[in-house]
């Protein structure tokens, strides 16, 4: 097999990034945009020793799982990877991906997974689900401002203000901004030169409250003619918050470290499962509200609280899971590294009249050991174990970013020995790695369930329950 060879192959499998995998005499070729079951003609782009990459040239026989994508840019755009696969097949792919990681990386055996994995929770309508989008701004060849999404693995913007995963109002907001930029010659940021002004626009939409937030990320401290923009944007029904976040750094990080209010409040509110949340521009908030309610419900079910427990919610963001759990626990501690998110979390506890929660700013892997240390004196003094209940945890919930938990945190969890650990994960590879550690140190994998928070993409959320083994 060598570069530029043209091959004919049937797609037998799906790679973790959604590519089709065809085999030529046992040699696997990864073919982007080919769907499992397709018979395709492909051109080899790169041939390594044990596998290669090929470009899809022609679909000879389409797979029964192939479907018409809603978005005309589905193949080019880096946002979605598997829009051409039927939704039912996407769900099977995601479940298998999680299972594969648990087997390969976690070392869990098949029979166990057969027994404990519950069926994936999919969506009824796998489009229009995102409450948040961050649109990059740039210029086209003629120098006109454009916005849309990056093409896969590049920073080339595909102009598109109507993402099929987002809400319809995105278009009106973006066209209003582009219109003013053209009118007043306001340049978009240029990554190469470091010049220009507008870098990104973050839009959030509260599905329950219909409130809208717009945050302009600028290369500087202000946006020219901001007053005209504000006047136009605040005419859009539901507009609640228009802010500006300065970001002068040459970096791929989208938002700046702070924000200032241009109009309205510095936040919007939203409801999930009867709890009201305040969300500011720099705080993390789950992007799919329909599935988030199911995800949090599942975390609560797996935590199996009876009412007397001390619970830690690590990586708590704006306190969403903490407040869900607090209604069924004695006390919940939330830990989060972003200070603005902790401010939101405290406010959220207040507006929901939930008093049995406490939020701590800091890294989970530092806060928990410090807490344990400072309470160990009380623990020593009270050998009967009936006194200070805050020195321990009955249930620990973790919901880390893709890189998973820090090893120091996992060690601390083992030391604190909670009855149950509920792990909410957005990356099943790091989840499997962390579960292997915990299950090698006194815990048993009891339940696993995936929730499809991100239809049309290869990403998926997983919730796991671990039970401490009693010997
Ligand atoms: N449970 C929340 C947030 C999950 S996202 C929710 O469902 O909305 C992960 C969160 O972890 C983010 O808010 C991020 O800021 C935070 N984070 C990242 N690294 C951290 C660390 N080392 N310690 C504590 N929080 C961290």
């Amino acid at each position: 097999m060598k570069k530029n060879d043209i091959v004919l192959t049937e797609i037998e499998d799906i790679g973790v990034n959604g590519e089709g995998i065809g085999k030529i005499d046992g040699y696997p070729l990864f073919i982007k945009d080919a769907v499992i079951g397709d018979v395709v003609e492909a051109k080899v782009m790169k041939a390594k020793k044990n596998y290669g990459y090929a470009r899809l040239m022609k679909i000879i026989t389409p797979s029964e799982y192939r479907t018409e994508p809603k978005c005309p840019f589905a193949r080019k755009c880096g946002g979605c990877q598997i829009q051409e696969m039927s939704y039912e097949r996407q769900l099977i792919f995601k479940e298998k991906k999680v299972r594969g990681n648990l087997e390969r990386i976690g070392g869990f055996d098949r029979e166990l997974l057969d027994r404990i994995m519950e069926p994936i929770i999919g969506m009824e309508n796998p489009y229009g689900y995102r409450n948040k989008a961050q649109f990059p701004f740039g210029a086209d060849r003629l120098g006109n401002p454009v916005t849309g999404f990056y093409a896969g693995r590049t920073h080339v913007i595909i102009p598109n203000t109507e993402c099929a995963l987002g809400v319809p109002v995105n278009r009106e907001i973006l066209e209003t901004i582009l219109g003013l930029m053209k009118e007043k010659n306001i340049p978009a940021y240029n990554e190469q030169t470091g010049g220009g002004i507008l870098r990104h626009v973050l839009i959030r939409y509260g599905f329950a409250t219909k409130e809208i937030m717009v945050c302009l990320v600028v290369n500087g401290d202000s946006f020219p003619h901001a007053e005209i923009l504000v006047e136009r944007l605040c005419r859009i029904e539901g507009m609640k918050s228009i802010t500006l976040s300065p970001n002068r750094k040459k970096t791929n990080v989208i938002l700046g470290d702070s924000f200032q209010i241009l109009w309205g409040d510095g936040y919007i509110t939203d409801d999930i499962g009867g709890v009201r949340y305040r969300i500011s521009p720099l705080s993390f908030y789950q992007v799919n509200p329909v599935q988030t309610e199911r995800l949090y419900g599942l975390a609560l079910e797996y935590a199996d609280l009876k009412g007397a427990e001390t619970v830690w919610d690590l990586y708590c963001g704006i306190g969403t899971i903490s407040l869900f759990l607090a209604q069924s626990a004695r006390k919940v501690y939330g830990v989060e590294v972003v200070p603005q998110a902790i401010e939101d979390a405290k406010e959220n506890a207040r507006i929901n009249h939930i008093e049995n929660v406490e939020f701590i700013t800091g890294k989970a892997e530092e806060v928990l050991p410090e807490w344990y240390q400072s309470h160990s004196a009380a623990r020593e003094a009270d050998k009967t174990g009936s006194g200070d209940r805050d020195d321990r945890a009955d249930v620990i919930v973790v919901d880390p970013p893709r890189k998973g938990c820090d090893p120091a945190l996992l060690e601390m969890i083992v030391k604190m020995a909670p009855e149950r650990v509920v792990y909410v994960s957005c990356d099943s590879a790091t989840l499997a790695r962390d579960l292997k550690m915990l299950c090698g140190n006194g815990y048993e994998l009891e339940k696993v369930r995936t929730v499809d928070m991100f239809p049309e993409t290869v990403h998926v959320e997983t919730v796991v329950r671990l039970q401490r083994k009693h010997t």
Side-chain angles (χ1 to χ4, degrees):
M1 193 72 50
K2 58 183 189 314
K3 194 173 170 182
N4 294 332
D5 279 358
I6 302 283
V7 296
L8 186 76
T9 181
E10 179 170 347
I11 304 300
E12 296 172 20
D13 208 345
I14 312 170
V16 289
N17 296 314
E19 331 85 322
I21 303 175
K23 288 194 180 133
I24 313 288
D25 297 331
Y27 178 86
L29 273 179
F30 288 81
I31 310 170
K32 185 178 163 311
D33 302 317
V35 171
I36 190 165
D38 280 344
V39 177
V40 302
E41 195 180 280
K43 186 175 175 180
V44 177
M45 305 309 289
K46 201 183 227 175
K48 296 201 175 196
K49 192 159 169 259
N50 298 319
Y51 62 94
Y53 296 96
R55 176 180 295 159
L56 174 60
M57 304 300 281
K58 207 196 278 171
I59 300 164
I60 308 293
T61 321
S63 159
E64 60 174 307
Y65 305 121
R66 191 166 263 289
T67 184
E68 190 62 34
K70 263 207 173 166
C71 171
F73 307 105
R75 268 176 85 167
K76 270 202 215 156
C77 179
C80 290
Q81 299 85 34
I82 49 176
Q83 241 192 69
E84 288 170 296
M85 194 188 294
S86 71
Y87 189 56
E88 292 69 37
R89 195 64 189 76
Q90 289 183 24
L91 293 176
I92 297 171
F93 156 68
K94 291 186 185 192
E95 233 176 356
K96 272 194 165 170
K97 176 172 156 168
V98 172
R99 213 191 145 96
N101 282 334
L102 291 175
E103 280 177 22
R104 274 195 314 276
I105 304 170
F108 296 101
D109 68 54
R110 266 183 204 182
E111 288 92 86
L112 172 76
L113 295 172
D114 277 344
R115 206 169 64 237
I116 64 169
M117 272 189 87
E118 303 189 88
I120 185 165
I121 303 176
M123 291 192 84
E124 286 76 45
N125 173 17
Y127 283 103
Y129 60 81
R130 284 190 70 102
N131 60 16
K132 170 190 164 183
Q134 303 182 114
F135 294 89
F137 277 68
D140 66 11
R141 276 197 215 121
L142 301 169
N144 297 312
V146 289
T147 187
F149 288 94
Y150 291 136
R153 282 187 237 117
T154 74
H155 273 195
V156 175
I157 296 173
I158 300 164
N160 174 23
T161 56
E162 284 177 291
C163 170
L165 304 190
V167 289
V169 78
N170 286 341
R171 176 157 195 260
E172 193 180 351
I173 295 167
L174 296 171
E175 296 295 345
T176 302
I177 298 170
L178 286 171
L180 184 77
M181 289 172 80
K182 283 179 198 155
E183 219 177 287
K184 303 286 183 194
N185 274 319
I186 304 167
Y189 176 65
N190 180 324
E191 283 185 327
Q192 266 81 46
T193 65
I197 295 169
L198 189 60
R199 295 174 70 124
H200 273 86
V201 169
L202 159 73
I203 303 175
R204 269 198 175 127
Y205 176 80
F207 271 60
T209 57
K210 303 195 166 38
E211 294 183 5
I212 302 167
M213 161 191 292
V214 175
C215 177
L216 310 171
V217 184
V218 296
N219 179 34
D221 292 324
S222 60
F223 188 74
H225 307 284
E227 64 302 335
I228 305 179
L229 185 64
V230 161
E231 194 262 320
R232 290 179 192 173
L233 286 178
C234 71
R235 275 189 232 147
I236 297 171
E237 203 183 324
M239 192 60 64
K240 261 273 144 58
S241 165
I242 305 175
T243 56
L244 181 139
S245 181
N247 182 2
R248 283 212 186 84
K249 292 188 196 134
K250 277 209 162 186
T251 156
N252 283 341
V253 176
I254 296 177
L255 300 171
D257 304 327
S258 63
F259 69 90
Q260 61 206 56
I261 298 173
L262 295 178
W263 178 86
D265 299 327
Y267 57 87
I268 58 167
T269 52
D270 199 20
D271 281 16
I272 298 179
V275 183
R276 177 148 284 227
Y277 297 107
R278 174 183 112 160
I279 313 139
S280 57
L282 306 182
S283 299
F284 176 90
Y285 185 59
Q286 297 286 354
V287 300
N288 180 334
V290 173
Q291 295 297 82
T292 297
E293 186 164 351
R294 295 173 173 160
L295 181 80
Y296 291 170
L298 192 58
L300 184 62
E301 181 195 318
Y302 281 9
D304 193 18
L305 301 173
K306 304 281 184 269
E309 296 88 349
T310 302
V311 181
W312 284 78
D313 175 22
L314 307 175
Y315 309 88
C316 71
I318 61 170
T320 39
I321 295 179
S322 323
L323 299 183
F324 244 64
L325 299 175
Q327 301 172 68
S328 312
R330 182 190 72 87
K331 175 93 193 214
V332 178
Y333 294 95
V335 181
E336 159 66 43
V337 76
V338 174
Q340 287 93 344
I342 286 288
E343 269 176 46
D344 283 351
K346 288 181 177 164
E347 183 61 16
N348 290 334
R350 198 184 62 77
I351 57 181
N352 289 287
H353 312 289
I354 297 176
E355 285 168 2
N356 56 335
V357 287
E358 196 174 317
F359 292 104
I360 307 167
T361 312
K363 290 186 176 166
E365 62 272 24
E366 291 171 5
V367 170
L368 207 59
E370 280 162 23
W371 183 275
Y372 189 78
Q373 189 72 34
S374 70
H375 283 73
S376 60
R379 199 167 39 246
E380 284 305 309
D382 178 26
K383 290 275 189 215
T384 61
S386 58
D388 183 2
R389 301 219 33 193
D390 285 337
D391 71 323
R392 60 190 187 85
D394 298 300
V395 177
I396 293 183
V397 178
V398 296
D399 183 7
R402 284 187 200 163
K403 69 174 184 206
C405 294
D406 191 281
L409 175 64
L410 296 176
E411 278 167 33
M412 198 60 230
I413 292 175
V414 169
K415 215 172 194 178
M416 281 178 87
E419 219 16 56
R420 271 182 295 290
V421 175
V422 177
Y423 197 133
V424 182
S425 159
C426 54
D427 185 326
S428 56
T430 58
L431 168 72
R433 177 201 67 197
D434 293 349
L435 291 181
K436 187 174 185 184
M437 187 288 186
L438 292 169
C439 291
N441 287 281
Y443 283 88
E444 197 167 10
L445 188 59
E446 249 194 11
K447 279 180 174 184
V448 179
R449 190 160 198 184
T450 46
V451 180
D452 189 19
M453 300 279 276
F454 317 101
E456 319 305 334
T457 80
V458 294
H459 305 291
V460 69
E461 202 83 9
T462 308
V463 188
V464 163
R465 173 156 106 178
L466 297 170
Q467 179 72 37
R468 190 157 70 92
K469 281 188 254 180
H470 296 273
T471 43

